[in-house]
C-alpha cells in the first residue's frame, strides 16, 4: 500500500502535532536523579527561550519520579516548589508512586517489594533508615506519613493517570491496545509492558511513555518511548514537541 501511495502521489499520513501556541516537553522516568533533573529543567527553560515566539510552555513528567536514585525527596521538592506562573506542569503517576501511596494508605503487605525496587533509597532521602522495615513492614506506613512533608504527600496524591495534548497521549507505561482511551484502567497506564510494546495497532493519539528503558528515544508509528534509564545509565531525556516538530534534550552524567 505504501508503494502504491507513492506511485499515485497521495499525501503521506498527517504527522502527529500539538495545538498551535503550545510547546511541550515530556520528561522520562527521573527515579530520584535530582542531579540530572535540575540541569535538565534549566536546559528546557533555555531551549524554550531560544526557540522564541509566543508558545506557552507545558512540561509533562511521565512518572516514577521516585525510588532507585539517591535523591527522591529533592526531586519532589524541585517540582513542588516551582510556582512559576509561566509554566504549566502535568505530573503523571508511575507504578513507583502507586506503590508508595498504597503504603501511605496502610497497605503494609507491599512494603518488602517496594523496598527491593528502590523504596529503600527513597526512605534514606527522607532521613529514614530502611533496615528495620524488611522485618517490620507494618510499622512503615505510620513512619512514612510522619517523614514525608505534607506538601510532598499532597503533590503525590494530585498526580494524574494521563494527559492528552493534541495528537499525543502522555502516560507512564502505556495503554491496553483495543480499549478506548477513556476506558483505560489506571493500573494498565502505570504497569503495562509487553502487550503494549508489541502492539502495532493505531491507538488514535501517539502514546508518549516511559517505564521501559530504551538506549535512546524510540520513535514508533503509534508510540514514543523516552525512558533512557536515568538511575542506571546516567541519562535523563526530555522530548520536545511543537506543531509537528520533535526534538530531544538529554541530561547526562554517563561519561560521554
Amino acid at each position: 500500500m505504501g508503494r502504491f501511495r507513492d506511485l499515485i502521489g497521495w499525501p503521506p499520513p498527517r504527522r502527529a502535532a500539538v495545538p498551535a501556541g503550545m510547546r511541550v516537553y515530556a520528561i522520562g522516568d527521573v527515579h530520584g536523579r535530582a542531579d540530572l533533573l535540575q540541569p535538565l529543567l534549566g536546559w528546557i527553560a533555555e531551549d524554550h527561550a531560544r526557540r522564541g515566539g509566543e508558545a506557552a510552555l507545558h512540561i509533562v513528567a511521565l512518572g516514577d519520579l521516585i525510588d532507585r536514585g539517591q535523591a527522591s525527596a529533592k526531586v519532589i521538592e524541585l517540582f513542588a516548589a516551582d510556582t512559576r506562573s509561566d509554566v504549566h506542569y502535568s505530573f503523571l503517576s508511575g507504578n513507583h508512586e502507586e506503590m508508595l501511596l498504597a503504603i501511605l494508605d496502610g497497605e503494609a503487605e507491599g512494603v518488602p517489594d517496594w523496598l527491593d525496587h528502590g523504596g529503600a533509597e527513597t526512605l534514606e532521602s527522607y532521613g529514614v533508615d530502611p533496615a528495620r522495615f524488611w522485618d517490620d513492614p507494618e510499622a512503615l506506613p505510620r513512619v512514612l506519613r510522619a517523614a514525608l512533608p505534607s506538601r510532598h504527600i499532597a503533590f503525590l496524591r494530585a498526580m494524574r493517570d494521563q494527559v492528552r495534548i493534541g495528537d499525543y497521549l502522555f502516560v507512564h507505561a502505556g495503554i491496553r491496545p483495543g480499549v478506548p482511551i477513556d476506558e483505560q484502567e489506571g493500573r494498565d497506564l502505570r504497569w503495562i509492558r509487553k502487550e503494549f510494546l508489541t502492539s502495532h495497532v493505531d491507538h488514535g493519539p501517539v502514546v508518549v511513555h516511559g517505564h521501559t528503558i530504551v538506549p535512546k528515544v524510540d520513535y514508533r508509528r503509534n508510540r514514543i518511548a523516552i525512558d533512557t534509564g536515568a538511575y542506571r545509565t546516567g541519562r535523563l531525556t526530555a522530548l520536545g514537541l511543537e506543531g509537528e516538530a520533535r526534538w530531544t534534550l538529554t541530561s547526562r552524567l554517563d561519561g560521554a
Side-chain angles (χ1 to χ4, degrees):
M1 182 64 180
R3 178 61 176 163
F4 180 64
R5 182 188 299 270
D6 292 342
L7 287 172
I8 66 174
W10 288 359
R14 183 178 66 87
R15 188 168 183 178
V18 298
M22 294 185 67
R23 187 174 295 136
V24 180
Y25 295 85
I27 300 174
D29 304 29
V30 180
H31 275 306
R33 291 299 301 266
D35 57 337
L36 297 172
L37 175 63
Q38 197 157 16
L40 182 61
L41 290 174
W43 296 335
I44 287 173
E46 291 175 9
D47 187 67
H48 177 62
R50 180 179 60 81
R51 291 175 185 273
E54 300 299 320
L57 174 57
H58 191 136
I59 297 176
V60 182
L62 296 183
D64 281 7
L65 301 181
I66 61 170
D67 297 350
R68 302 194 187 278
Q70 300 300 313
S72 290
K74 185 173 181 180
V75 167
I76 298 299
E77 183 62 18
L78 281 170
F79 282 129
D82 190 344
T83 58
R84 289 176 293 167
S85 60
D86 59 339
V87 182
H88 181 80
Y89 278 107
S90 291
F91 298 106
L92 305 184
S93 179
N95 56 304
H96 284 260
E97 283 84 19
E98 180 183 288
M99 288 190 285
L100 173 58
L101 287 171
I103 295 167
L104 281 169
D105 289 337
E107 297 180 22
E109 62 272 17
V111 167
D113 191 48
W114 180 62
L115 292 174
D116 281 338
H117 290 85
E121 289 85 349
T122 293
L123 286 180
E124 290 171 346
S125 77
Y126 282 101
V128 177
D129 183 353
R132 62 174 280 207
F133 300 108
W134 272 280
D135 295 326
D136 187 16
E138 296 291 336
L140 183 56
R142 175 183 54 80
V143 172
L144 200 56
R145 287 192 289 269
L148 268 64
S150 58
R151 74 168 178 168
H152 286 205
I153 295 175
F155 175 89
L156 292 164
R157 292 196 186 282
M159 286 177 152
R160 303 167 63 180
D161 287 341
Q162 58 175 280
V163 63
R164 175 78 179 263
I165 302 176
D167 298 322
Y168 292 94
L169 178 71
F170 301 86
V171 298
H172 174 63
I175 65 173
R176 177 73 58 183
V179 176
I181 300 301
D182 60 359
E183 296 178 18
Q184 292 285 330
E185 296 286 341
R187 184 168 178 82
D188 280 337
L189 298 175
R190 291 185 288 273
W191 288 90
I192 199 168
R193 207 179 298 270
K194 183 177 179 180
E195 300 95 324
F196 170 67
L197 298 177
T198 58
S199 175
H200 300 288
V201 304
D202 184 348
H203 302 304
V206 174
V207 179
V208 179
H209 66 97
H211 189 56
T212 299
I213 294 176
V214 289
K216 61 181 180 179
V217 173
D218 186 9
Y219 297 95
R220 304 291 179 97
R221 290 180 64 87
N222 60 355
R223 64 179 180 87
I224 305 174
I226 69 169
D227 177 11
T228 49
Y231 79 93
R232 181 188 301 172
T233 67
R235 288 182 284 116
L236 176 63
T237 296
L239 171 70
L241 301 167
E242 184 176 8
E244 295 184 352
R246 300 169 175 170
W247 66 96
T248 60
L249 300 172
T250 301
S251 177
R252 57 196 306 163
L253 292 172
D254 59 358

